[in-house]
Amino acid sequence: MSKIRVKQTLMLFVMVSAPCLVHAREATPAPHADEADAMQDMIVVTARRRLEDAQTVPVSLSVVGDGLLNRTYTVNTNQLSQLVPTLNYSSANPRNTAFTIRGLGSSVVAVSQANDGLEPGVGFYVDQVYHARPATAAFDFTDIDQVEVLRGPQGTLFGKNTTAGAINITTKKPSFDFGVESEASFGSRDFIQAKAAITGPVIREVVAFRLSGSITRQKGYLDNIARDEKQNNIHNDAVRGQLLLTPTKNLSLRLIGDWANFKNNCCAQVFVRVAPTLKPAAQQYIALAANALGGPYVPPSINPYDRVSSNDAPLGVDTQEGGVSAIADWTAGGATLTSVSAWRFWKWDAANDRDYTGLHIQTTQHIPSRQDQYSQELRIASNAPGSIEYVGGLYYFNQKIVGRPISIYGPLATYWLLPAGRPANLLDGYQTDGRTDFRTDSYGVFGELTWNLLSRLAITGGIRYTYEEKNGLYDVRTFGGLATASASLINDKNSILRTQNYTAHIGDGSASGRANVAYRFTSDVMAYASFARGQKSGGINMSGLPVYPAGVPGQTSGDPILSTATVRPEKNSTWEAGLKTSLLDRRVTFNIDAYYTRVTDFQANVVDNAAVIALRSYLANIPRVTVKGVEFDAAARIGAYLTLRASGAYANGEYASYPNGPCPIELTGSSTTSCNLTGKALAGLPKWSGSVGAEYARPMPIGPLDGDIVLRADANAKTKIFGDAAGSAYTVIKGYALVNASLGYRTQHWELGVFARNLFNRDYMQNLTVQAGNSGLIVGTPNEPRLIGVTFRVRD
């Protein structure tokens, strides 16, 4: 890392920390507000779009506050999944990001399977604003106050396509009291991270501000010997500015602007294994690599945990997101009216080596894209306990995504991707260019009412009606490669890349809703049962369509199958029962629930086996998917110094009906095939997962310092998952367990700690991908090695 970069980071940290350090020396010590104390206080959530105690809300949810985020050094959604077992995260790169709850949501599990026409089933919200693209979850958290992970359909109140659940993030608000928070961390592989926030009044009791930001840098952990560079590094920046206006005691307006950048030399994948296929031996990886032009190709390592690659094409991710929003709250008697207005953007570009080798098969692949969204929500909600409590409102959402698919093949593409006998330069320079344009308009009206029938019995019912219009344009042309008039050679070129132009439209309306009954046996023990129905609107294929093979009556070989341009809406029905308890003056909390979910017309990406490259995916409906399971969350304070937490999940997800699915790599041949995947396990869902944590904080004055020595350890584990939808035995990601730990000294105003993520340096695969051409090569992204670092935090 350059000296200039280190100096810039230190200057940011010192400038913001200095006032706080001075104040800390002058301040009179006060009682510490640690996680253990907070456990006895009410945890306020907005799961039903009004402020409530989490233990009184008859919804299965997990809450992670800023204290736990800081003390576990959790900085993004991927690391959040280590604290919330029901949340699973996969990201081959930011565009190809998938997060699921109970195994449902986005089905992207590998490079090339992101589809702009597929919307996630897990709603991602920051300060009440819906983020439409899953890629935004890849950015680092900035100035977070609390994260709520809501499980099961949340379509009644959270609206946009939340058939699987919602991640509801709340950032810290401006304060009318002056305050500063800052921290700097240094660690392995030149890791450096700085965070800072400052807040205070502009006009006392009328206008307050908050400004926060973060930067993260770290050297890559994967060696590319072909390009002599480190890959999979971290280079992230973020800034957030806020104003809070309270012209009267009943009216508040919060203005928020934020921007984040993810500009990394990533995302490289390495050799994992070779799977046998049903293709002729000469078209399988072992023979292809042994007879590659210029001599046999040998990967630099067959152990993925050596973290070495020879990918020859340049890599690089440059993605940004940001926006502005305005949240207005007006309290009038027993009701609060809320308006949430927002504009957001997401801008993406990345270079990939899509053949994942040191051979010149595919030299360029990227899809520069730009997404803009506008949303407006109006709500009215009761703000005081009563026999009737309610929330209702209107919602509008508009989205536009424009992309430019670019793909260029190299001199070895013909040899690697086509049968022998073709001119060697047939595909050299063969490429695509074009434009995709996807647009959405969504309108919603919703309401939910809770009737406290008896002092201990409450009945809740809610419904939402959503109407959506979607339009898609796909216009991609091919050119380059060997000029030829031969029909057979043209067909060969089309099997790799094909000129296609089509438009598609969807307009549909649907109702979502939920009903539950909650009974309080005591003030600290509540049981509930619920039924929820959610629907995710239909989608449009924005990555090209499969084509008709020869011999189909009324169709010419190579014609696009226009019936696959759109997919039907996805419907989710979930039955759930749960128990929430707070015992021993809230020193112990234990919540447990059981559920059964049935999804019809499950939307997923499937691979077109007719395409030679076999990474051309398109949207389709899986007839029926089911998931059933049990989950729990628990926390306890033992004595004066020790706090414990634990959470776990058992989930059994399967394709209940999937008679015509894609075949796993070991059953893939040279012709179009389909396989019956009915009864196969759902991809990306571990059957067992869990997380435990413990913190021991004991007062230990050192001279004039009045502070605590703090020891913390957190562990999470999960069993194996299938890395692709076809359930191949060769794309299974083995289960693993991780341990994170820290040791520090904490006072009222500052904290110094040493931390370790992946303390025992456990190796595991984050994702697996089948190589282009179905040669049998399996590649993947190994995890980051152990990170050891030191952090200094200051707060006032």
Side-chain angles (χ1 to χ4, degrees):
M1 177 174 293
S2 69
K3 294 182 179 179
I4 293 177
R5 188 176 300 166
V6 173
K7 288 180 179 178
Q8 289 174 339
T9 305
L10 291 174
M11 286 176 64
L12 172 64
F13 176 71
V14 171
M15 288 171 62
V16 180
S17 301
C20 190
L21 287 169
V22 172
H23 188 86
R25 287 194 295 267
E26 297 173 350
T28 300
H32 303 305
D34 59 16
E35 182 183 8
D37 295 332
M39 288 178 58
Q40 300 184 70
D41 299 330
M42 179 175 66
I43 300 175
V44 178
V45 297
T46 57
R48 296 196 290 184
R49 292 305 197 190
R50 56 185 188 269
L51 300 179
E52 296 178 285
D53 179 358
Q55 289 300 103
T56 68
V57 179
V59 173
S60 57
L61 57 87
S62 299
V63 184
V64 181
D66 69 318
L68 184 56
L69 292 174
N70 285 335
R71 290 169 195 170
T72 56
Y73 298 87
T74 299
V75 299
N76 52 42
T77 308
N78 182 26
Q79 295 173 0
L80 177 68
S81 66
Q82 297 179 16
L83 301 176
V84 183
T86 53
L87 176 65
N88 288 286
Y89 181 93
S90 175
S91 180
N93 61 43
R95 180 182 178 89
N96 298 78
T97 295
F99 43 89
T100 61
I101 294 176
R102 296 173 173 173
L104 304 174
S106 302
S107 63
V108 178
V109 292
V111 170
S112 84
Q113 293 189 29
N115 192 311
D116 289 339
L118 175 66
E119 295 178 325
V122 176
F124 190 81
Y125 291 80
V126 180
D127 291 327
Q128 306 183 56
V129 176
Y130 173 68
H131 290 215
R133 305 318 301 164
T136 63
F139 291 88
D140 288 349
F141 292 150
T142 305
D143 211 18
I144 300 300
D145 183 51
Q146 182 171 281
V147 181
E148 303 167 32
V149 179
L150 313 176
R151 304 188 285 269
Q154 305 296 323
T156 306
L157 300 181
F158 282 84
K160 270 302 281 164
N161 298 312
T162 52
T163 53
I167 301 172
N168 186 30
I169 297 176
T170 304
T171 65
K172 295 180 180 178
K173 295 181 180 180
S175 172
F176 288 103
D177 296 321
F178 180 80
V180 174
E181 301 175 22
S182 58
E183 69 175 68
S185 300
F186 302 88
S188 312
R189 302 187 304 282
D190 291 341
F191 174 76
I192 184 169
Q193 184 176 72
K195 300 180 182 179
I198 183 170
T199 188
V202 177
I203 302 175
R204 184 167 296 278
E205 304 303 325
V206 177
V207 181
F209 79 96
R210 187 176 185 92
L211 180 64
S212 57
S214 68
I215 65 172
T216 307
R217 304 287 187 270
Q218 189 174 31
K219 185 183 296 183
Y221 64 89
L222 191 148
D223 289 305
N224 187 310
I225 63 172
R227 299 182 58 80
D228 190 26
E229 63 185 16
K230 291 283 189 178
Q231 294 180 328
N232 293 9
N233 68 324
I234 299 176
H235 186 287
N236 299 345
D237 304 291
V239 63
R240 180 186 300 272
Q242 302 183 63
L243 285 176
L244 177 63
L245 292 79
T246 56
T248 71
K249 66 177 182 179
N250 294 327
L251 177 63
S252 70
L253 175 63
R254 186 182 177 192
L255 304 175
I256 307 170
D258 68 278
W259 173 87
N261 183 55
F262 184 109
K263 190 174 183 179
N264 302 345
N265 183 20
C266 85
C267 299
Q269 299 194 60
V270 301
F271 178 100
V272 176
R273 62 180 66 97
V274 175
T277 76
L278 299 182
K279 300 178 75 172
Q283 293 179 256
Q284 297 194 43
Y285 176 82
I286 293 176
L288 289 169
N291 299 299
L293 301 180
Y297 170 73
V298 179
S301 174
I302 60 172
N303 180 358
Y305 303 116
D306 286 339
R307 297 175 174 85
V308 180
S309 82
S310 60
N311 300 348
D312 59 310
L315 300 181
V317 171
D318 187 359
T319 182
Q320 303 172 28
E321 73 150 350
V324 293
S325 61
I327 305 171
D329 289 295
W330 178 41
T331 300
T336 298
L337 286 83
T338 300
S339 169
V340 182
S341 310
W343 161 77
R344 297 203 61 79
F345 80 94
W346 167 67
K347 186 178 180 182
W348 160 267
D349 195 11
N352 298 301
D353 187 338
R354 282 279 298 280
D355 58 64
Y356 314 109
T357 70
L359 301 172
H360 300 304
I361 301 171
Q362 188 171 21
T363 59
T364 300
Q365 198 281 327
H366 62 133
I367 310 175
S369 303
R370 166 82 186 213
Q371 182 252 7
D372 288 88
Q373 64 173 71
Y374 301 86
S375 61
Q376 175 63 54
E377 184 169 10
L378 298 172
R379 294 197 309 269
I380 183 171
S382 56
N383 56 28
S387 58
I388 299 293
E389 300 171 22
Y390 60 88
V391 60
L394 304 171
Y395 182 77
Y396 171 70
F397 174 82
N398 170 271
Q399 174 182 222
K400 176 182 178 180
I401 309 175
V402 176
R404 184 187 173 194
I406 301 172
S407 185
I408 305 174
Y409 283 89
L412 288 181
T414 304
Y415 166 74
W416 199 270
L417 300 175
L418 296 175
R422 278 66 172 174
N425 62 343
L426 180 64
L427 299 178
D428 190 8
Y430 189 50
Q431 58 191 283
T432 61
D433 200 350
R435 184 173 185 269
T436 63
D437 190 323
F438 176 73
R439 306 190 182 205
T440 301
D441 282 289
S442 178
Y443 310 84
V445 56
F446 59 91
E448 186 171 270
L449 184 144
T450 298
W451 179 23
N452 295 302
L453 182 61
L454 302 172
S455 60
R456 298 181 182 274
L457 178 65
I459 300 174
T460 299
I463 191 169
R464 183 189 196 100
Y465 183 81
T466 301
Y467 180 80
E468 295 197 337
E469 294 274 355
K470 295 182 179 180
N471 291 280
L473 164 69
Y474 182 86
D475 184 8
V476 174
R477 68 187 187 279
T478 60
F479 55 95
L482 177 66
T484 178
S486 167
S488 62
L489 294 181
I490 292 173
N491 287 335
D492 285 336
K493 294 174 73 173
N494 286 338
S495 71
I496 304 301
L497 298 173
R498 183 183 298 273
T499 295
Q500 276 194 348
N501 178 288
Y502 61 89
T503 60
H505 169 80
I506 287 180
D508 61 52
S510 63
S512 299
R514 65 181 176 188
N516 63 47
V517 177
Y519 184 79
R520 303 195 67 85
F521 295 97
T522 70
S523 59
D524 294 323
V525 179
M526 179 187 72
Y528 67 91
S530 67
F531 170 77
R533 179 72 178 268
Q535 177 161 311
K536 186 166 65 166
S537 60
I540 297 177
N541 274 299
M542 297 303 298
S543 296
L545 302 181
V547 299
Y548 286 104
V552 177
Q555 302 293 337
T556 301
S557 175
D559 285 348
I561 305 176
L562 295 178
S563 61
T564 64
T566 61
V567 293
R568 297 183 298 276
E570 174 182 301
K571 300 178 179 66
N572 179 311
S573 299
T574 297
W575 293 261
E576 182 176 306
L579 184 70
K580 293 193 171 186
T581 66
S582 301
L583 308 172
L584 303 176
D585 194 23
R586 289 214 170 196
R587 289 177 175 269
V588 176
T589 61
F590 180 79
N591 302 331
I592 188 169
D593 65 79
Y595 66 91
Y596 174 81
T597 296
R598 184 183 66 218
V599 183
T600 56
D601 286 329
F602 181 71
Q603 296 173 357
N605 273 291
V606 299
V607 172
D608 178 12
N609 285 306
V612 173
I613 63 170
L615 280 179
R616 183 177 297 153
S617 63
Y618 63 97
L619 296 183
N621 292 107
I622 296 174
R624 189 168 67 254
V625 169
T626 61
V627 186
K628 54 187 176 183
V630 179
E631 308 153 337
F632 78 91
D633 288 278
R637 180 179 180 181
I638 310 298
Y641 310 130
L642 179 64
T643 60
L644 305 173
R645 67 164 190 87
S647 54
Y650 164 79
N652 184 0
E654 66 177 27
Y655 301 114
S657 175
Y658 197 7
N660 296 304
C663 289
I665 181 65
E666 59 267 33
L667 297 180
T668 299
S670 300
S671 59
T672 303
T673 58
S674 65
C675 291
N676 186 355
L677 300 181
T678 300
K680 297 292 186 181
L682 196 62
L685 178 64
K687 183 159 288 189
W688 297 93
S689 57
S691 176
V692 296
E695 181 171 298
Y696 183 79
R698 187 180 184 93
M700 183 175 289
I702 302 176
L705 300 178
D706 182 15
D708 296 340
I709 187 75
V710 183
L711 174 63
R712 182 171 192 99
D714 294 88
N716 70 94
K718 59 180 62 179
T719 55
K720 71 176 183 180
I721 64 172
F722 286 100
D724 73 346
S728 169
Y730 294 89
T731 58
V732 171
I733 298 177
K734 294 180 179 179
Y736 57 88
L738 299 178
V739 176
N740 305 321
S742 63
L743 175 65
Y745 189 77
R746 183 173 67 213
T747 73
Q748 181 181 0
H749 293 291
W750 60 265
E751 179 179 350
L752 178 65
V754 177
F755 68 92
R757 293 197 64 85
N758 191 6
L759 176 63
F760 299 113
N761 206 27
R762 180 65 188 271
D763 290 327
Y764 62 95
M765 298 305 298
Q766 298 184 77
N767 49 70
L768 294 174
T769 299
V770 177
Q771 189 215 28
N774 274 340
S775 68
L777 175 62
I778 308 296
V779 297
T781 306
N783 68 297
E784 297 182 34
R786 175 173 50 219
L787 169 64
I788 296 178
V790 59
T791 294
F792 183 53
R793 293 192 177 109
V794 180
R795 55 187 174 272
D796 180 25

